[in-house]
Amino acid sequence: MITIKQVSHHYTMGKKAKETIVPVLHGIDLHVEKGEIVSLIGKSGSGKSTLLHIIGGFIQPTSGQVEINGTPITGWNEGQLADFRLQHIGYIFQNFQLIPSMTAAQNIELPLILNGTPKQKRQQKVENILRQVELEAFSEHYPSELSGGQQQRVAIARALILDPPLILADEPTGSLDSDTEAELLTLIRKLNKQNGITFLIITHDQEVAAIADRQLEIRDGQMKKVKGVMPV
Amino acid sequence: MTFKDKWRFVQQNMKKNKVRVFMTILAAAMGSCFLIVLASVGFGLHDSLIKDELESRAVTKIDIYGTDDEEQLGFTTENIAELKQIENVDAVRQIQSLGETNFHLDGYTNEMPSAIAVDFENEKQAGIELGSGRLPEKENEIVVSSDFAEFLGKDGVEDKDKFAEDGTIQSEYLYKEKVLNKEIELEASTFPEDGSEPRTATEKVQIVGIEAAPANEYIYTNSVKTTPELKRTLDEALNVTDSYTEQGDPLYDQVEVYASNAEAVEPILNSLDEKGYLAYSNLEELKNINILFNVAKAGLIIVGTIAVLIASIGIYNTMTMAVTERAPDIGIMKAIGANPKTIKQIFLMESTFIGLAGALIGTAVAYLISFLVNVGVPLILEQIFEEEIPATLQLSSIPFLLAAISITICLIVTIMSGSRPAKQATNVDVLRALRREI
Ligand SMILES: Nc1ncnc2c1ncn2[C@@H]1O[C@H](COP(=O)(O)OP(=O)(O)O)[C@@H](O)[C@H]1O
Ligand SMILES: [Mg+2]
């Protein structure tokens, strides 16, 4: 599902001529199989989010190749990446990133609108997914009227609505209490088992890491195996 | 993303900022309204001063004032026949001047109207219009211009008493009765070049018709038209011979050729030139005036466009603020997979809507103002100057073309002013927007 070869990345900061270089990743190799749940741990500032952003196509790596679902995406322009992301990747953020002026249902509907699904089909799909994440009663609530766990479930529903084969999650439980976290993990497990969706989850939480088939760690800008089988 | 969904987004966005959108539409409306009303004065004056003339016979008329042959003093009947042969010539008017004439009626005199002898068959073809009466059929019959009676002043009154400041005859010294069907005395004079005594001849003639008033109300006409037979009688009585050839055929002082339409004027002028006639058409002059008016209209449109440009600053501002305000939403949409093109289109749609709404409202209001100006300003002017303003004078006119030009300008300007903010929206950095750094 994900194949990363020799990906390195550094950020350039400051003005021209006086710029400082912040090296983050050094020659990362990673392979995630279809249907796997892989967790990624590492100290704060170790470059976990940077790697996920590279996989999601939000930033271009300084060097190296990224292949998703058999498609190499390195060197694409923003428009191509956006279209690819819409169809193939669901992205879940630590702070949910819901549009505050839209209801839960409208937020979930957004990807369907973007890919031009007809209105009737949209309604049906939104209803189905709301049932899956157990939020039928809250469809007309605005994000500010929902708890953290509910908001994160809305975000997951939005990530799932176009049936992407891959979901990237950046500390999805970071803003949740432990009960809500447990519910969320159950949901992820269910989606993985029933729909065969691949998950790559960043976390520093052992509970989350525990549901993963494999655990990886980034240390000093490099990939270390923690548990499970290291990819070829 | 379908057009309908994009439009729904635009509506939602505008709803969130009703007041700001309203004010921006208002500014655009004021700009386009100003543009139209300003230019409409150019269109209105052009219409009322020129259009009538362009559509009247005045443009199809060609005056022939001479020939290449300097020996020849007038136009012969052969000349007239030749002119009638030219393609697209509808009518040829042949005119003989009666020289100096005075008309006496019951102790009132019209001094020196322009008196001419014409062929009334040709006059009919050339489109003479009568206000009352009929055309002359017998030798001693005449038609007079509509203002003929206005120049009939009482005899034996000193000029300084008789005439008002503007040259018209004081009403107390005017002939009061109707002149139609009156018998009037025509007194023709000749002042021989050899210095011998001036001679006069008189004839009793009957006014059988009065010409229709000219369309242009400012023009006073004092003229008399009579028959060639009367001209010959008078010439014989005065012993004048220079209006005839040696064979005794009439010589005409002036000839007018009427083209069948305005387009035919140019070729007729060319063939007249080839045949050695000196001709003049006021079509050329009208064309020049036309060009002048069109330049003036273009100038007014350009000045008006400045107002639209000022309004566009408002649109630019509104859209830039909208982009800044919605940057987090834009970031989320892009993170999900919204194509930058889609986002650009949504913002362009919004600014285009504002521009279009402004242009349409501005146009509607401009029509209203134009109507009020046309009704109100003449009333005010009449109050101030105590003079009647002619009904044909139109101060403001908005042809469809002007409305279309204004809406186009307004749309182009708004799309241009909205394009930079729209570009900014597509350039919103996803990760920075998600971190709420924008
Ligand atoms: N946009 C950026 N510009 C400059 N430096 C950055 C930027 N984003 C992250 N960094 C730096 O890169 C390093 C890795 O950051 P990140 O990938 O967010 O780490 P993690 O998610 O593991 O906490 C950190 O030192 C951080 O300061
Ligand atoms: Mg991080």
Side-chain angles (χ1 to χ4, degrees), chain B residues 199-218:
Chain B
R199 296 186 290 274
T200 58
T202 57
E203 278 289 326
K204 291 256 184 265
V205 295
Q206 184 158 22
I207 301 173
V208 296
I210 298 175
E211 285 187 66
N216 193 328
E217 294 166 40
Y218 299 115

Side-chain angles (χ1 to χ4, degrees), chain B residues 157-215:
Chain B
V157 182
E158 291 236 8
D159 277 2
K160 65 173 171 34
D161 297 328
K162 194 152 104 184
F163 294 102
E165 265 172 38
D166 60 358
T168 58
I169 294 173
Q170 301 276 24
S171 57
E172 50 194 302
Y173 301 121
L174 268 180
Y175 185 72
K176 303 278 182 330
E177 288 174 52
K178 292 232 156 32
V179 295
L180 187 64
N181 294 325
K182 286 268 155 58
E183 196 176 61
I184 191 166
E185 189 182 71
L186 187 170
E187 176 197 340
S189 317
T190 182
F191 301 86
E193 279 172 23
D194 58 14
S196 58
E197 278 296 293
R199 296 186 290 274
T200 58
T202 57
E203 278 289 326
K204 291 256 184 265
V205 295
Q206 184 158 22
I207 301 173
V208 296
I210 298 175
E211 285 187 66

Side-chain angles (χ1 to χ4, degrees), chain A residues 11 17 33 35 51 67 99 102 105 122 158 169 185 217:
Chain A
Y11 291 103
E33 281 296 333
L51 182 63
E67 217 175 82
I99 294 183
M102 293 183 179
R122 291 206 300 252
R158 183 181 64 187
L185 293 178
E217 184 186 353

Side-chain angles (χ1 to χ4, degrees), chain A residues 5-165:
Chain A
K5 284 184 198 137
Q6 286 301 307
V7 161
S8 300
H9 192 72
H10 63 247
Y11 291 103
T12 315
M13 287 175 64
K15 288 193 182 114
K16 267 213 172 125
K18 276 203 247 164
E19 40 199 24
T20 48
I21 289 186
V22 185
V24 183
L25 303 173
H26 307 287
I28 299 264
D29 284 313
L30 169 68
H31 185 85
V32 177
E33 281 296 333
K34 195 171 159 32
E36 263 191 308
I37 300 179
V38 175
S39 71
L40 191 59
I41 57 169
K43 281 201 218 106
S44 178
S46 58
K48 306 181 296 292
S49 294
T50 302
L51 182 63
L52 212 67
H53 290 152
I54 289 171
I55 298 169
F58 294 130
I59 47 181
Q60 292 285 340
T62 319
S63 66
Q65 265 90 49
V66 179
E67 217 175 82
I68 290 167
N69 219 358
T71 316
I73 61 162
T74 18
W76 283 14
N77 67 30
E78 221 192 334
Q80 290 170 310
L81 287 169
D83 292 342
F84 185 82
R85 190 155 57 233
L86 184 63
Q87 294 308 324
H88 297 89
I89 304 172
Y91 212 104
I92 299 170
F93 304 89
Q94 177 179 350
N95 43 6
F96 326 129
Q97 303 291 5
L98 300 175
I99 294 183
S101 59
M102 293 183 179
T103 62
Q106 284 169 342
N107 266 291
I108 296 170
E109 194 187 7
L110 205 53
L112 290 168
I113 293 176
L114 289 176
N115 90 340
T117 311
K119 192 154 188 156
Q120 274 173 337
K121 215 167 159 198
R122 291 206 300 252
Q123 252 165 4
Q124 203 186 320
K125 284 200 128 188
V126 171
E127 271 168 36
N128 281 345
I129 206 100
L130 277 167
R131 212 172 305 123
Q132 264 193 65
V133 296
E134 291 165 25
L135 277 175
E136 302 105 303
F138 300 91
S139 67
E140 296 310 312
H141 286 229
Y142 286 90
S144 59
E145 300 161 354
L146 295 170
S147 72
Q150 288 167 329
Q151 286 185 56
Q152 195 58 299
R153 276 186 282 159
V154 172
I156 290 174
R158 183 181 64 187
L160 287 170
I161 192 87
L162 289 179
D163 302 315

Side-chain angles (χ1 to χ4, degrees), chain B residues 361-380:
Chain B
I361 294 170
T363 308
V365 174
Y367 271 105
L368 187 72
I369 291 177
S370 167
F371 173 76
L372 293 177
V373 162
N374 284 333
V375 173
V377 173
L379 284 180
I380 294 167

Side-chain angles (χ1 to χ4, degrees), chain B residues 3-19:
Chain B
F3 181 85
K4 226 168 116 189
D5 284 323
K6 283 180 201 155
W7 173 235
R8 227 160 39 88
F9 264 78
V10 171
Q11 280 175 306
Q12 279 167 2
N13 289 341
M14 289 192 303
K15 246 183 230 157
K16 276 181 232 159
N17 272 304
K18 271 192 210 129
V19 176

